[in-house]
């Protein structure tokens, strides 16, 4: 294995795996596999990039660090010469962590400083300029992320936000430096290291900027960022002759289908509204889940009776509704009960022969993926920016695991078409 990625959630892992599999469009990508947690065995020589999916974004800092270091050790044992710590393109974290502590812990083990920190993902409207993170034309803290129920982002200055989490000062490589080329970026990162800065925010407002950063980091041990940070990395291995740039063709999966949505993001709520116009849809009441009136058997029966019609089950509410439920029952209890409900439902559906599964929401996707014991996931074609087809040969199913904010209004039907081997476009 050439490149190893440690991702702090499941949908983010799929996102960066997709980036590595397709590359920057100029020379091909890497043969990529996604792992649900740290594997217990070594991988074969056909895997050029491995992405370990953790569920460490919102857990206690010490646990996140411990899991990430264990993932690093496994990737080192596979022979990786470069590592990426992948977090959300909206820099989802609290003032305490977990991005800063995990990144610094990885840097300490690898004995590196001046490490890139760049959450930019221009294809999804996430750009970084002068250390500030934008979502489309809005600063991060004005984009709706300030209302996130787990990691409210109240400051767009991610250099300042990261400094709250980090032990050392945080550097900045400006857009002007990035535009000057790979050599200047490399020089700026070395200067950051010389100043004792473990991490340095690197501006990026376009894919070209990300390719420049990737080229500048051809020989560095560690990078951190959103999936976009991997855009220019496959070309480095292909140019050096260590990778071929060829990927396998996806044949598709036919048969029973289901869509499960547990995200309260604006994008997912819009996708639910669009899908529900023409397809059977079941809205889960949080009250009914908490008092036991709604059980997995109810969801399985609804989905099974509507196979062939792209059935959707969702628990997505407005941020105000989510807060009200959390205040009534407790945030952790609501999350645990919903995760358990979706996990049991997915298990029962797959045991009954489900072949195509779409899951919306990072936390929901992580819970479902863990419950299904999917084994190694092969990365298939891209459904929409940041969301690939995932193939589990162990369970013989195809999946799409979507972060809440990703995808067009037609995403759910697009995904089911792609999972069957068709072209959603």
């Amino acid at each position: 294995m050439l490149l190893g990625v440690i991702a702090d959630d499941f949908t983010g892992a799929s996102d960066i795996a997709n980036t590595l599999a397709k590359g920057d469009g100029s020379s091909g990508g890497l043969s990529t596999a996604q792992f649900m947690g740290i594997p217990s065995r070594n991988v074969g020589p056909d895997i050029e990039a491995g992405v370990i999916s953790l569920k460490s974004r919102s857990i206690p800092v010490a646990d996140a660090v411990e899991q990430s270091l264990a993932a690093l050790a496994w990737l080192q044992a596979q022979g990786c010469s470069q590592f990426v710590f992948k977090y959300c393109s909206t820099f989802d974290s609290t003032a305490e962590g977990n991005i800063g502590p995990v990144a610094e812990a990885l840097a300490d083990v690898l004995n590196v400083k001046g490490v890139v920190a760049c959450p930019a993902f221009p294809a999804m409207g996430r750009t970084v300029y002068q250390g500030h993170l934008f979502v489309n034309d809005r600063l991060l803290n004005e984009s709706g992320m300030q209302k996130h129920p787990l990691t409210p982002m109240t400051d767009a200055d991610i250099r300042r936000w990261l400094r709250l989490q980090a032990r050392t000062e945080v550097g900045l490589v400006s857009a002007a430096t990035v535009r000057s080329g790979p050599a200047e970026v490399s020089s700026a990162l070395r200067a950051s290291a010389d100043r004792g800065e473990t991490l340095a925010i690197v501006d990026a407002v376009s894919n070209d900027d990300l390719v420049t950063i990737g080229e500048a980091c051809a020989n560095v041990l560690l990078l951190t960022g959103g999936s976009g940070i991997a855009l220019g990395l496959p070309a480095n291995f292909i140019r050096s002759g260590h990778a071929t740039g060829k990927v396998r063709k996806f044949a598709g999966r036919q048969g029973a289908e289901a869509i499960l949505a547990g995200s309260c993001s604006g994008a997912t709520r819009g996708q639910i509204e669009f899908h529900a116009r023409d397809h059977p849809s079941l809205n889960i009441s949080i009250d009914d889940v908490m008092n036991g009136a709604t059980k997995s058997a109810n969801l399985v029966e609804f989905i099974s009776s509507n196979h062939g019609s792209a059935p959707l089950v969702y628990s997505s509410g407005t941020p105000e509704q989510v807060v009200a439920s959390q205040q009534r029952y407790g945030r952790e209890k609501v999350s645990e009960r919903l995760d358990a409900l979706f996990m049991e439902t997915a298990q029962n559906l797959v045991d009954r022969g489900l072949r195509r599964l779409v899951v919306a929401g990072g936390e929901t996707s992580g819970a479902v993926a863990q419950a299904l014991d999917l084994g190694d996931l092969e990365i298939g074609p891209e459904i929409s920016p940041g969301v690939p087809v995932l193939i589990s040969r162990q369970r013989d199913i195809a999946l799409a695991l979507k972060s809440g904010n990703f995808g067009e209004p037609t995403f759910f039907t697009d995904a089911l078409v792609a999972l069957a081997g068709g072209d959603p476009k």
Side-chain angles (χ1 to χ4, degrees):
M1 192 183 294
L2 303 170
L3 176 65
V5 179
I6 302 162
D8 67 357
D9 82 333
F10 286 85
T11 54
S14 300
D15 180 1
I16 195 167
N18 176 64
T19 301
L20 291 169
K22 70 177 185 177
D24 63 8
S26 65
S27 56
L30 302 178
S31 174
T32 305
Q34 181 176 341
F35 309 104
M36 298 299 161
I38 303 169
S40 57
R41 58 180 178 80
N42 294 333
V43 297
D46 60 321
I47 302 300
E48 296 169 332
V51 181
I52 294 180
S53 314
L54 300 178
K55 201 165 185 273
S56 58
R57 179 170 298 171
S58 303
I59 65 176
V61 170
D63 294 340
V65 169
E66 180 181 7
Q67 292 181 24
S68 301
L69 291 180
L72 174 64
W74 185 84
L75 291 168
Q76 288 177 306
Q78 307 311 303
C80 294
S81 60
Q82 189 170 61
F83 307 91
V84 177
F85 169 40
K86 194 276 175 192
Y87 39 81
C88 188
S89 59
T90 47
F91 214 69
D92 296 12
S93 59
T94 66
E96 293 75 31
N98 293 346
I99 293 174
V102 169
E104 288 191 321
L106 295 171
D108 288 347
V109 169
L110 295 171
N111 193 30
V112 292
K113 288 189 178 295
V115 174
V116 168
C118 180
F121 190 5
M124 290 301 299
R126 278 71 157 164
T127 56
V128 181
Y129 181 72
Q130 300 296 6
H132 288 67
L133 180 54
F134 290 80
V135 178
N136 297 313
D137 62 346
R138 296 282 183 240
L139 287 164
L140 177 66
N141 59 305
E142 299 173 358
S143 68
M145 284 302 300
Q146 70 272 25
K147 297 180 180 179
H148 192 286
L150 297 178
T151 53
M153 298 304 297
T154 57
D155 191 349
D157 186 340
I158 53 173
R159 184 184 186 188
R160 184 165 55 206
W161 192 254
L162 185 56
R163 182 64 190 88
L164 297 175
Q165 307 172 16
R167 299 190 311 270
T168 66
E169 289 297 326
V170 178
L172 174 66
V173 179
S174 70
T177 300
V178 175
R179 296 282 170 80
S180 297
E184 286 74 12
V185 172
S186 181
S187 177
L189 291 172
R190 286 196 300 271
S192 174
D194 290 342
R195 291 192 296 269
E197 298 161 351
T198 303
L199 303 169
I201 303 297
V202 182
D203 284 350
V205 298
S206 68
N207 281 351
D208 288 344
D209 290 341
L210 293 170
V211 171
T212 296
I213 295 166
E215 187 174 346
C217 295
N219 297 309
V220 307
L221 272 176
L222 177 66
L223 301 90
T224 81
S227 64
I229 199 60
L231 189 64
L233 301 182
N236 294 331
F237 292 103
I238 294 168
R239 277 193 296 267
S240 67
H242 291 96
T244 65
K246 298 178 181 178
V247 295
R248 287 177 287 195
K249 184 174 176 58
F250 171 56
R253 295 293 186 274
Q254 307 298 322
E257 79 291 357
I259 305 163
L260 306 176
S263 167
C264 64
S265 75
T268 298
R269 296 200 311 274
Q271 290 156 358
I272 290 169
E273 180 181 356
F274 187 93
H275 192 80
R277 296 174 190 170
D278 303 307
H279 301 87
S281 305
L282 177 65
N283 185 7
I284 302 171
S285 162
I286 301 298
D287 290 335
D288 287 346
V289 173
M290 299 305 293
N291 65 30
T294 294
K295 301 182 184 300
S296 173
N298 305 121
L299 278 57
V300 171
E301 175 59 30
F302 173 81
I303 290 170
S304 298
S305 63
N306 286 288
H307 280 324
S309 300
L312 163 68
V313 171
Y314 64 96
S315 66
S316 304
T318 66
E320 292 76 18
Q321 291 170 330
V322 172
V323 169
S325 296
Q326 291 175 340
Q327 290 175 341
R328 189 177 304 122
Y329 301 108
R331 187 179 75 178
E332 289 76 14
K333 288 185 178 180
V334 171
S335 178
E336 288 172 4
R337 292 289 288 275
L338 283 174
D339 282 354
L341 179 67
F342 282 120
M343 290 164 69
E344 184 179 351
T345 298
Q347 285 176 314
N348 289 334
L349 289 169
V350 171
D351 289 344
R352 290 182 175 209
L354 189 83
R355 302 294 302 282
R356 292 177 292 153
L357 178 62
V358 180
V359 187
E363 295 297 318
T364 306
S365 294
V368 167
Q370 284 183 315
L372 290 179
D373 188 23
L374 298 167
D376 302 353
L377 291 174
E378 182 181 344
I379 307 304
E382 185 177 58
I383 301 167
S384 70
V387 189
V389 169
L390 302 173
I391 307 104
S392 171
R393 285 172 285 187
Q394 181 168 304
R395 300 302 298 267
D396 194 26
I397 60 174
L399 308 95
L401 306 179
K402 182 191 85 75
S403 179
N405 289 309
F406 282 28
E408 298 297 320
T410 58
F411 177 82
F412 293 144
T413 50
D414 291 347
L416 290 176
V417 168
L419 295 180
D423 183 357
K425 306 297 187 296

